[in-house]
Each structure stands twice: as structure tokens, then as C-alpha cells.
Amino acid sequence: MPLWTVVGQGAIGLLATARLHQAGYPVQLHRRSSAPFDFIFQSADDAFSLSFHTPLTPYSFILLPVKAYAVVDAVQQLLPLLAENAQLVLSHNGMGTIEQVLPLLKPKQGLWFLSTSHGAFKANQTTVIHSGKGQSVLGALNQAAFAQQQSVEEAMQAALGPLVVEGDIKPSLWLKLAVNAVINPLTALHQCKNGELSRSHYTSAITLLIEEFVRVANAAGQDFSVETIQNRVKQVIEQTAENYSSMQQDFVKGRRTELEYITGFLLRQAEQHQLQLPAHQALYQLLLQKSPR
Ligand code: KPL
């Protein structure tokens, strides 16, 4: 089994690391600090601890589950450490990084995107809890990815499966974008759990956001109906009713949010297609004004 390198120490990255280890993969962590790092993994049916030291280079198989705004910097730092035919898997909320990363890679370096609904959180700096079993969608983004297709798919199945492999991952990314562009900014602004959004008080705001989303998605070549998006948003609100969205949590803790890669991405797409999105624009402005940065 090939050696995988997971970048960062976020909850999803540590979840994937623990599950790769459980499946028998050699796995190491790339962190900013070179100090040894131990963490404890807990799930409904398992608990164990793992220790990490200085990672071995060059890296051939890399999972990069870092926030959208940190992706390009992280890739730039990794470039000198990557094997000539390295395979890099991005995983985050929002859109807009793929176009930034593709031109940075060498011809034989493969790029992938994995979108996951697994839930994990860090109870403290060194304990990660697998809080909700989800699933993932994986897609290759360039020709070089196909050279190592089987290895990447098998490992991602172990790390964050059950896995669906899509020939074109863009529709899945747009669908996830719809969910994030409605739930995340509203819950951040109103400081509420996802489930609060099912109250009738939010119905007209959500409908407007969805109608605007569908207009821009259609203009960008994504064939969604208002009904499809409405059903999906409703389903996620119900399934994650007790959760605070990632943007709500970032916002309340004064951390940078993924707004620029969720609502910001949508607004930039709208501009390209000469569309106005007043409801998204208003949410964006309100959150920018209230954001720490
Ligand atoms: O992806 C999410 C997030 O919080 O970022 C959702 C699906 C909204 C779940 O909370």
C-alpha cells in the first residue's frame, strides 16, 4: 500500500489519517511544525492513539483537507516536496481553488477533488471525534490523475468512504455550493443551529437565495431546477439540525471564514454572466462588515 501524506491537523484530515491507518495504509502528517505530534481518535466503534514524526519526502500521495482560503499557499509550500508524478487530493467547502492549483502542477502531477459529508470535530488540540458517518464524492481533475486512478480511489474509499467516483465532479461541487451558500451565511449571521432555518421565518429568504443560485448555476452550465436545490437544502437542514455550520463556528470564534469561496465565488460567477444576485450580495456585505477580516 502506498504511503499517504495528510496535510494539516484539521478534524477531517485527522479522521482520514486514522481511517487510512485502520485500513493498513502507511500514513504521515505534513504540519507547519516539525515537533512530534500525537493524537487520539474516537469513533462509535473504536478509539486509539497515533504518533507522528518528521515526514518522509518526496510525497507521492497527498490529501489536502485545508480551508479553501489556505489551499494555494499550502500547495505552493508543498511544491518542492512533491514527487514528479504526485497525486494531490483537495477537499474543502466552496469553489474556486481548482483553477488556481491546476497551473501550479507539473505535467505528471495529478489533481483530484473529494467532497465529503463525514462529520468530525476536535474535542481538544489532540483528540478527534468521528461524530457523524457520511459519504464522499471523488473526481479526477486532470489527465495525470488517471495514471494512478486505482490507487487514489482505493485509498480515498478507506479514508472517507463510502465513495462515489464521478466522471465530472463539478455538478456535485455546485450542489454542495448551493447548500453552503444558503445554510452557512444565514446561520453565521443569525448565530443559530442549522435546524433553526426550517422555521417559517426564514422561508422567503431561503427561497430568494435558491432562486438566485439557480440562475447563476444555469448560466454557468449547471442544469439544476429550483425544486432540486430546495429539496437538497431542506434535507441537509433536517439531517444536520443539531449542528452549527462551519461558517457559524468560524464566525463566532473570530476566525477567517470561507465566505469568499462560497458566496464570493457565486457573486464572481454572476458578474461573469452579467447577473445580479441581490440576496446573496446583501448577505455577503453584512457578513463582511461583521467579520474579523
Ligand atoms: O457543510 C456544512 C458546513 O457546515 O460547512 C453543512 C452541510 C452546512 C453542515 O453544517
Side-chain angles (χ1 to χ4, degrees):
M1 284 176 171
L3 170 64
W4 274 80
T5 304
V6 177
V7 179
Q9 52 194 68
I12 292 292
L14 296 185
L15 167 68
T17 303
R19 291 187 34 151
L20 282 169
H21 169 83
Q22 274 179 315
Y25 279 86
V27 55
Q28 58 182 11
L29 287 182
H30 171 95
R31 301 163 55 245
R32 247 177 274 141
S33 155
S34 57
F37 176 74
D38 293 358
F39 79 89
I40 299 166
F41 172 73
Q42 284 175 20
S43 68
D45 26 48
D46 221 345
F48 55 86
S49 74
L50 288 172
S51 297
F52 296 91
H53 302 278
T54 312
L56 301 172
T57 57
Y59 302 154
S60 295
F61 292 93
I62 306 98
L63 173 62
L64 191 93
V66 304
K67 297 268 189 184
Y69 55 75
V71 167
V72 171
D73 274 1
V75 172
Q76 260 154 350
Q77 281 175 30
L78 285 172
L79 286 178
L81 305 174
L82 297 184
E84 284 294 308
N85 59 350
Q87 299 293 315
L88 185 62
V89 183
L90 306 180
S91 181
H92 58 74
N93 275 339
M95 291 179 74
T97 59
I98 295 171
E99 301 69 17
Q100 295 176 310
V101 173
L102 276 173
L104 302 176
L105 299 179
K106 292 187 178 161
K108 289 191 178 149
Q109 294 175 333
L111 189 66
W112 299 77
F113 198 101
L114 178 142
S115 175
T116 188
S117 62
H118 276 283
F121 71 94
K122 286 171 81 176
N124 56 47
Q125 276 310 305
T126 54
T127 307
V128 64
I129 317 271
H130 189 190
S131 50
K133 281 192 181 159
Q135 56 205 23
S136 303
V137 180
L138 178 73
L141 299 170
N142 63 1
Q143 219 28 57
F146 294 105
Q148 313 253 13
Q149 190 174 5
Q150 200 183 341
S151 302
V152 174
E153 289 175 8
E154 279 173 8
M156 291 303 98
Q157 179 71 257
L160 293 162
L163 191 71
V164 173
V165 180
E166 300 273 17
D168 176 10
I169 199 172
K170 284 276 165 67
S172 295
L173 297 187
W174 274 89
L175 194 56
K176 182 85 191 318
L177 184 73
V179 169
N180 289 134
V182 174
I183 299 180
N184 294 24
L186 284 176
T187 52
L189 188 66
H190 298 284
Q191 286 304 306
C192 63
K193 287 185 177 175
N194 296 352
E196 275 285 293
L197 301 183
S198 58
R199 284 182 38 217
S200 58
H201 174 72
Y202 291 103
T203 310
S204 60
I206 291 178
T207 304
L208 265 182
L209 289 168
I210 290 175
E211 285 170 357
E212 288 184 8
F213 175 89
V214 168
R215 245 181 286 141
V216 69
N218 289 171
Q222 297 298 323
D223 193 18
F224 294 115
S225 66
V226 168
E227 201 193 357
T228 308
I229 303 295
Q230 247 160 355
N231 290 340
R232 181 71 190 137
V233 169
K234 186 167 177 278
Q235 185 188 35
V236 176
I237 289 175
E238 282 164 9
Q239 284 171 350
T240 64
E242 283 310 307
N243 295 7
Y244 285 103
S245 76
S246 54
M247 193 177 289
Q248 189 281 343
Q249 294 182 51
D250 288 338
F251 197 78
V252 77
K253 290 181 182 138
R255 296 190 299 234
R256 187 169 172 183
T257 73
E258 292 179 300
L259 185 69
E260 221 31 78
Y261 287 81
I262 296 176
T263 311
F265 174 84
L266 211 54
L267 293 174
R268 289 190 292 279
Q269 289 286 314
E271 207 178 310
Q272 279 179 25
H273 297 284
Q274 277 122 39
L275 291 171
Q276 302 285 327
L277 308 184
H280 287 278
Q281 183 72 49
L283 259 186
Y284 179 78
Q285 293 303 345
L286 278 169
L287 284 167
L288 269 194
Q289 278 162 22
K290 297 185 175 209
S291 289
R293 48 199 281 202

